[in-house]
């Protein structure tokens, strides 16, 4: 993959209730959130942001690290070739496109490309 940029830029937390999670993190850390529908909210600072996913169909079982890359298709191919299992093919979301995969230890992560 050479000089391709790949850094963790986002963590998605599965939560029971988005509003409760927002209240907690706002009170504890002073974070502000943008709502993306009734079950999703996220910080939008441009640093390592945090999203809350409360949709029972879409939320993951554990914390979901999201890796930001410059070439999503090449990264998907590299993940598969390295032995990762694609769990959710490339899809669009507000801010770009991403896919989910499980690594060889069973951890679920996501890879995104902005735009």
């Amino acid at each position: 993959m050479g000089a391709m940029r790949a850094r963790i830029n986002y963590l998605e937390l599965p939560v029971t209730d988005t509003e409760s999670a927002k209240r907690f993190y706002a009170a504890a850390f002073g974070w502000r959130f943008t709502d993306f529908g009734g079950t999703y909210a996220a910080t939008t600072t441009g640093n390592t942001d945090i999203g809350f996913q409360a949709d029972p169909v879409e939320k993951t079982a554990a914390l979901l690290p999201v890796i930001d890359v410059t070439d999503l298709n090449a990264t998907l191919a590299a993940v598969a070739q390295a032995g990762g299992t694609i769990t959710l093919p490339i899809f669009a979301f507000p801010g770009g496109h991403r896919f989910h995969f499980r690594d060889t230890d069973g951890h679920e992560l996501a890879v995104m490309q902005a735009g």
Side-chain angles (χ1 to χ4, degrees):
M1 290 178 43
M4 185 170 78
R5 174 183 55 93
R7 71 175 186 89
I8 293 179
N9 75 327
Y10 196 82
L11 298 174
E12 187 172 284
L13 301 174
V15 297
T16 304
D17 179 64
T18 304
E19 291 303 316
S20 295
K22 286 170 39 182
R23 280 192 300 275
F24 170 78
Y25 283 95
F29 301 105
W31 294 348
R32 294 186 178 165
F33 298 88
T34 300
D35 291 326
F36 297 97
T39 61
Y40 201 94
T43 62
T44 54
T45 64
N47 292 316
T48 301
D49 284 307
I50 294 180
F52 300 132
Q53 177 59 273
D55 185 317
V57 174
E58 294 185 13
K59 73 180 183 179
T60 56
L63 177 75
L64 180 70
V66 180
I67 302 167
D68 183 19
V69 301
T70 55
D71 188 333
L72 193 64
N73 291 312
T75 304
L76 185 140
V79 165
Q81 184 175 14
T85 302
I86 307 304
T87 58
L88 194 56
I90 294 174
F91 65 95
F93 72 99
H97 290 80
R98 77 183 199 193
F99 69 89
H100 294 197
F101 72 96
R102 289 199 188 282
D103 67 13
T104 55
D105 286 305
H107 304 292
E108 186 170 12
L109 293 90
V111 178
M112 68 154 288
Q113 183 175 349

